[in-house]
Amino acid sequence: MRNKDAKVGTFPIWRKYKGASAIGKKRNGRNLRTELLFVLLLIFFYSFGALECSAQALAVRKTAVEKKDSIMPFKSRLAVRTNAIDWLCLLPNVAVEFDLTPSCYNKITVGMGVKWNWETSQKYLPSTVYNLFDVRLEVRRYWRTELSQVHRSDKEKVSFLKWLREDVFTRQRQHPRYWRAYYWGIYTNLGNYSFKFGKEGVQGYTYGAGLSAGFGIPLYGYKNHFVDLELGGSVGCVFTRYDKYGFDAESNCYPTLVGKSKGWHVLPYPVITDLRVAFVYRFASIKDKYKLVDHVKQAARHEREMKRKNLNDSINEARRLRKEEKALLKKNEAEQKKAKTEQKKTEQKKELGKEESEASLKQSVKPKKEKKNKKKNKKGATKDSKSEGRKDENID
């Protein structure tokens, strides 16, 4: 059974009591899980912005000497936004946006917004419940339109697709509106909700991500303060879980409806998560930010590209010459090795030829000696025979 002073739709998940299941027990302070998620988003936003700013500020400040009007003070990079449609829907809201670089030609921003309509306090619980808490982190890229190079007469009839292609989904247009700064971006959000407009109510958690688009125009300007108007919206996918409940007037509580809860799931269709008719407070109007062309930066970029190209060309030329030198050295080494091998072969052939000639000479000399020896032997034999004959004669 609910206490009469209980609040409506308070998180965490509703607890069951002895008399009946109830939603939203009164608690002191915020829900711990919501606080942790909120703090994590703040830390992420701060660290992401700080890292990006420190990395890009050095590169941007180098052009400050060349063109001082392109550098804005720190406060001019901030913007505070509130959405009139959410206020009409009884949702207090505020958002902060921050430019990543101090240049007026910067196009990238990081923003964070909060909607809060929660823990309404009343003595008797109402039959209608409208509670919502949402935290959103968003990254945007701004751009402006310019005059198209292809002109057509205003009386010329064009198809709807051609009109979209030439006048909507392009930067070059027939009638550019230079005072507008268009943007597109991505976002992620988390929150919890509790709605009851009929017999049944829905309460749960939600996470989401998607795309944002719109444009901003200058609205009113003071000496150093400006108010701009922003029109846009966001569409994305939603990951949620919820429980359904009803209202028991006799016990003054919200009992859960058994069997009608649903766990975590992704909705099978895109959801319009935000519609904006917002007023933006800035120290520098949107007309002086997110400019289209910075000729000094373009010239500096072209000069850097030419230097990089020349450096790459010189490096490639040095590499080519080094390769050619290596190829020539290898070729010379190969030729030297070839010449040495040929010289060795010729020397070996000469040695072989000498050995063969010596062997042939030896072979030719041997038969001559043998013939001489035979002749000598024959002469000696004849002399011996003659001497023996003479001896015989003397004996006789």
Side-chain angles (χ1 to χ4, degrees), residues 138-141 183-187 210-213:
E138 188 172 6
V139 179
R140 293 182 177 180
R141 187 186 189 281
Y183 70 87
W184 67 270
I186 57 176
Y187 76 90
L211 301 175
S212 298

Side-chain angles (χ1 to χ4, degrees), residues 69-312:
D69 62 344
S70 66
I71 302 299
M72 298 183 298
F74 181 82
K75 64 179 182 180
S76 298
R77 299 164 65 182
L78 292 170
V80 181
R81 180 176 65 248
T82 185
N83 190 2
I85 292 180
D86 288 338
W87 282 102
L88 289 175
C89 295
L90 305 179
L91 281 173
N93 66 96
V94 66
V96 179
E97 191 175 3
F98 183 72
D99 299 341
L100 288 184
T101 62
S103 172
C104 62
Y105 300 96
N106 168 71
K107 303 292 192 300
I108 308 297
T109 64
V110 177
M112 185 175 183
V114 179
K115 300 178 186 179
W116 182 272
N117 179 26
W118 201 262
E119 292 186 356
T120 55
S121 178
Q122 55 273 331
K123 190 172 183 180
Y124 293 98
L125 299 180
S127 60
T128 300
V129 180
Y130 179 58
N131 288 342
L132 178 66
F133 169 73
D134 182 80
V135 179
R136 174 176 300 225
L137 181 68
E138 188 172 6
V139 179
R140 293 182 177 180
R141 187 186 189 281
Y142 284 85
W143 53 279
R144 293 184 183 271
T145 57
E146 56 186 352
L147 186 63
S148 177
Q149 301 296 328
V150 180
H151 300 283
R152 69 169 188 265
S153 63
D154 296 335
K155 295 181 181 180
E156 183 182 350
K157 293 182 179 180
V158 295
S159 62
F160 179 72
L161 294 176
K162 187 176 180 180
W163 174 76
L164 286 177
R165 186 173 63 254
E166 295 183 358
D167 291 338
V168 178
F169 297 107
T170 181
R171 179 174 292 177
Q172 297 183 351
R173 301 186 179 181
Q174 299 294 327
H175 303 285
R177 294 171 173 82
Y178 301 104
W179 61 90
R180 288 185 182 179
Y182 297 87
Y183 70 87
W184 67 270
I186 57 176
Y187 76 90
T188 179
N189 71 311
L190 62 89
N192 44 25
Y193 57 90
S194 180
F195 301 131
K196 182 180 179 298
F197 301 106
K199 292 182 179 181
E200 296 181 357
V202 179
Q203 179 166 310
Y205 297 99
T206 180
Y207 300 93
L211 301 175
S212 298
F215 63 89
I217 57 175
L219 187 63
Y220 193 81
Y222 301 89
K223 185 177 180 180
N224 293 320
H225 309 276
F226 302 89
V227 177
D228 299 327
L229 180 66
E230 181 182 312
L231 304 175
S234 300
V235 179
C237 60
V238 176
F239 183 59
T240 183
R241 56 158 294 182
Y242 63 83
D243 292 315
K244 289 189 176 182
Y245 62 92
F247 176 65
D248 188 359
E250 293 181 0
S251 59
N252 192 30
C253 67
Y254 298 108
T256 57
L257 302 177
V258 180
K260 292 192 176 182
S261 300
K262 194 168 184 179
W264 290 107
H265 64 284
V266 178
L267 295 182
Y269 46 84
V271 178
I272 299 175
T273 57
D274 197 16
L275 290 174
R276 286 184 293 277
V277 179
F279 297 96
V280 187
Y281 176 79
R282 288 187 172 98
F283 292 97
S285 178
I286 198 170
K287 67 180 180 181
D288 300 323
K289 301 172 69 174
Y290 317 123
K291 291 184 179 180
L292 184 63
V293 179
D294 185 355
H295 297 287
V296 174
K297 287 184 74 174
Q298 281 189 345
R301 190 183 298 114
H302 180 69
E303 186 178 356
R304 287 196 302 271
E305 287 177 355
M306 291 301 295
K307 286 182 179 178
R308 191 182 297 112
K309 185 179 179 182
N310 293 332
L311 181 62
N312 290 332

